[in-house]
Every structure is written in structure tokens, then in C-alpha cells.
Amino acid sequence: MEILEIKDLSKYYGKKQVLKDISFSAHIGELIGLYGPNGSGKTTLLKLIVGLLRPSKGSILIDEKEPGSYTKSIVSFLPDKNIFPSWMSVKDALNFYLDFYRDFDSDKFMELLMFFNLKEDYKVKELSKGDLEKLILSLVISRKAKIYLLDEPLGGIDPSTRDKIIYSLLKNYCEESLMIISTHLVKEIENITDRTLFISQGEIIMDEKTDKLREERNKSIDTLFRETFQ
Amino acid sequence: MVWVIEFDERTPIYIQIMDLIKKRIGRGDLKSGDKLPSVREMAEELKVNPNTVQKAYQELEREGIIFTLRGMGSFITQDSEKILDLKKVMVREIIAKFLKDVRELNFSKDEILSLLDKYWKESE
């Protein structure tokens, strides 16, 4: 089922064009790696899908609807920056999500907390960067959403923790949803994706099945990425 | 059974998963009728997309090496001929590589056969 359809999408910040006529659609069950260097437009694209930004031109349809309150109820977004005030505890963050999202699954969240060795009474300000990332990721994937958009879920996280996060992503990845992971850490993510998108200066320059790409080019997506953006 | 692969970047991942399973069958770690992990379990173990594992299982099924029972899972074939064939293909690949390497060192067939015999006995 086509859950996301983007047509001729452009975005300007003032006079600067950050996305240029982007078109692609995505289906339930896909796990897409969205790769591009810093400033290529990854975050802007995700924010447009979430509805945090409005398109300058073109259209976005999520489950056949434009971004709005309905689409927010089925899209779970992991921003690349901390969204919680420092006075909050893990428990407060949990309650915050429970209040806002009907599809939030507390049992799943508790399981993830345990997996990541986080406790409910920890304060947000006391969490290390990695632990904070784990907390937010746990919240985001504990929603039973149709679309998960993860913006740099591995940014600033040490390799052993990355493995844990990737494992939890796979464990909780559901055939009934679409997941898009934006990152420049291609190597860590490529094996879990089934589709690869490269974005460069606001344009999608590659859109292919991950397996097919590796088979045709005879190299990893990571190598391909380095060659494309060197 | 622990499932790990150091993925080689030149080969498609589903083929590397197929090879790993074939190798385990060849070595006898997996026997006729043994159950494979579910697609999801295997994906989590190997940290790859479930669709990739699905593709590997489908191809193995097409080759007749595994079979799937609806709702029960995937199993290693009970056809012992098939497993023998699989081992023959594997040994052929190993020998082909071996031959290529020793030819590069300019040994004759007789020399190689007698060396092979000698080292075989030594390693027993």
C-alpha cells in the first residue's frame, strides 16, 4: 500500500532553495535509508513530511491526506535535537507521550527502557548524549505509527550503542509500517534497509532497492556514498 | 546456534546468507529436517532487513535446499541426494580455487597429487 506520495516538492528558505522538485512514493513495509551530506536537505524533507514545515511548491500525501492533525497521528518522528526540557524525568517524558499520542504502547516502552538500561526516575538533564538518544528513540518507536521518520538516530553515539539501537530498530520494525532513516552513517544502516535514497543539494540523485544497487555496482552503499560525495 | 557473518561488500547480502546456511548444512551443523530461525529472528541476529532474509530463504527454497510449511517455519530438506549435491558443489568450488592457486605456483598434476597425499596423511 502506498502510504507516502511526494510530488514536485520544493522548499525555499527565503531565496535559498533547499529542496528542488522532489518526487517519490513509499510503501508500507519498506525500510528506507535516506543518505546525504550535511546540508543536503534531509532534515527539511523529513520536517515537511511531519508537517513541521510547509512546502513552497508541490504536494505531500500521507495515507492520501495532506500533512495535518490526522497525519500527525500516524507519523512518529525522531528529531535530530533534544525535544525535552531538562527538568523532566524519563517518567515525565513517558507521560508527555502518553498524553499526546493515542497509539503509544507503554509496555513496549518499558521493555525498551529495560533493554537500554534506563530507569524511570532518571532526569533528562542527567542523561548522557547516548542515553538521551536512546530515550527519545524508545518513545518514538513505542508508538504504533504507520510511518516512522528517524533523523540521525545514531548521531553522536558510540559504536557499541549503535549496535544496540540498530538491534532495537530491527526488533521493533513492523511490516505494517514505513520507516525512513536519515543519516550520513551509511555503513551502520545499509544492511537493514531495503531501499536506498541519495539526496544531494536538495535533489534525489539515487533511488533504488538496496540489494539491486549492491549487486549492480558490486560495492557497498557506503563505498558508493563516499564515491558519490567525495 | 549463533548466526554471524562478516559481510563482504561485493556480494549481495542475500547470497551471503544463502552461502552461510549451505556451509552449515555441508558441515552437518544443520541436518535434514532441522528448523531454521524465522525470517525475523534471523534478521535480528544478522542485523539485516527481514526482506533480505526472506529473499535468501526463497532462493534456497527454489534450489530445493529448504522447504517451508505454512505457519510452521522453514526446514532443511529431507532429500539426502540434495544435500550430497550441495556438498559436491561446495567441494568443487574449493578445489577450483585450490587448483587455480597451485597452478600459479607452477606445480604439475603429479607433484600436486603426491603433495596432497603426503599432507593429507600428516594432518590425520
Side-chain angles (χ1 to χ4, degrees), chain B residues 34-82:
Chain B
D34 279 357
K35 189 172 186 288
L36 282 172
S38 73
V39 168
R40 269 196 91 93
E41 286 164 356
M42 189 66 115
E44 283 163 21
E45 290 264 333
L46 297 176
K47 299 199 171 63
V48 300
N49 190 287
N51 292 331
T52 309
V53 176
Q54 183 70 42
K55 190 166 179 190
Y57 280 19
Q58 272 167 5
E59 288 298 308
L60 286 171
E61 194 162 351
R62 216 175 45 79
E63 293 181 10
I65 292 161
I66 67 171
F67 62 97
T68 301
L69 294 177
R70 252 190 122 78
M72 309 256 305
S74 299
F75 301 84
I76 310 301
T77 181
Q78 285 166 332
D79 181 347
S80 50
E81 279 296 300
K82 200 84 212 178

Side-chain angles (χ1 to χ4, degrees), chain A:
Chain A
M1 193 183 102
E2 209 158 85
I3 189 81
L4 173 65
E5 194 178 0
I6 295 177
K7 262 202 191 123
D8 307 321
L9 179 67
S10 289
K11 178 69 186 173
Y12 292 86
Y13 292 135
K15 277 189 178 161
K16 188 170 185 261
Q17 188 172 12
V18 284
L19 290 181
K20 297 170 191 162
D21 293 319
I22 283 189
S23 295
F24 74 94
S25 51
H27 298 81
I28 292 286
E30 282 188 305
L31 207 165
I32 301 177
L34 174 67
Y35 314 114
N38 295 327
S40 53
K42 302 188 296 282
T43 299
T44 301
L45 176 59
L46 295 186
K47 283 186 171 167
L48 282 160
I49 301 171
V50 185
L52 293 172
L53 293 171
R54 295 184 61 80
S56 308
K57 201 168 87 23
S59 69
I60 299 169
L61 289 179
I62 295 159
D63 201 11
E64 300 176 339
K65 312 266 190 318
E66 284 183 12
S69 55
Y70 167 70
T71 68
K72 280 181 183 154
S73 74
I74 61 163
V75 176
S76 191
F77 175 53
L78 176 92
D80 66 344
K81 292 187 182 71
N82 175 26
I83 44 171
F84 295 110
S86 57
W87 57 264
M88 273 194 175
S89 66
V90 169
K91 175 111 181 143
D92 294 326
L94 160 67
N95 286 330
F96 180 83
Y97 256 70
L98 271 172
D99 287 345
F100 274 90
Y101 301 108
R102 286 185 173 185
D103 58 359
F104 192 79
D105 181 344
S106 309
D107 294 340
K108 191 170 181 179
F109 178 71
M110 294 319 253
E111 263 176 47
L112 282 161
L113 276 195
M114 227 154 55
F115 177 72
F116 286 135
N117 293 319
L118 292 172
K119 302 251 159 41
E120 275 184 90
D121 56 350
Y122 286 0
K123 286 266 188 292
V124 165
K125 65 171 174 226
E126 291 158 358
L127 295 179
S128 67
K129 199 168 177 183
D131 282 347
L132 186 61
E133 193 73 44
K134 289 180 205 162
L135 167 64
I136 301 176
L137 184 85
S138 301
L139 289 163
V140 167
I141 60 179
S142 292
R143 286 184 56 195
K144 286 201 177 86
K146 286 277 172 214
I147 302 183
Y148 297 91
L149 303 171
L150 312 181
D151 195 6
E152 293 291 358
L154 305 173
I157 285 184
D158 66 85
S160 66
T161 310
R162 279 180 201 166
D163 274 357
K164 263 195 130 168
I165 287 182
I166 286 166
Y167 180 79
S168 68
L169 282 179
L170 266 173
K171 182 110 188 135
N172 292 285
Y173 159 81
C174 158
E175 290 85 351
E176 283 147 35
S177 59
L178 161 70
M179 189 179 272
I180 302 180
I181 303 175
S182 136
T183 185
H184 52 258
L185 297 167
V186 185
K187 199 171 182 178
E188 280 79 358
I189 290 293
E190 63 169 284
N191 287 353
I192 67 164
T193 68
D194 54 7
R195 183 169 159 194
T196 295
L197 289 185
F198 279 6
I199 183 167
S200 170
Q201 297 174 13
E203 288 178 88
I204 290 184
I205 56 167
M206 172 102 71
D207 179 0
E208 192 58 83
K209 291 263 176 212
T210 308
D211 263 344
K212 194 168 170 223
L213 208 52
R214 288 177 60 121
E215 203 160 355
E216 280 175 2
R217 308 292 178 103
N218 238 336
K219 53 183 77 141
S220 67
I221 308 298
D222 185 52
T223 307
L224 194 60
F225 180 84
R226 282 162 204 271
E227 286 172 5
T228 309
F229 294 105
Q230 63 180 296

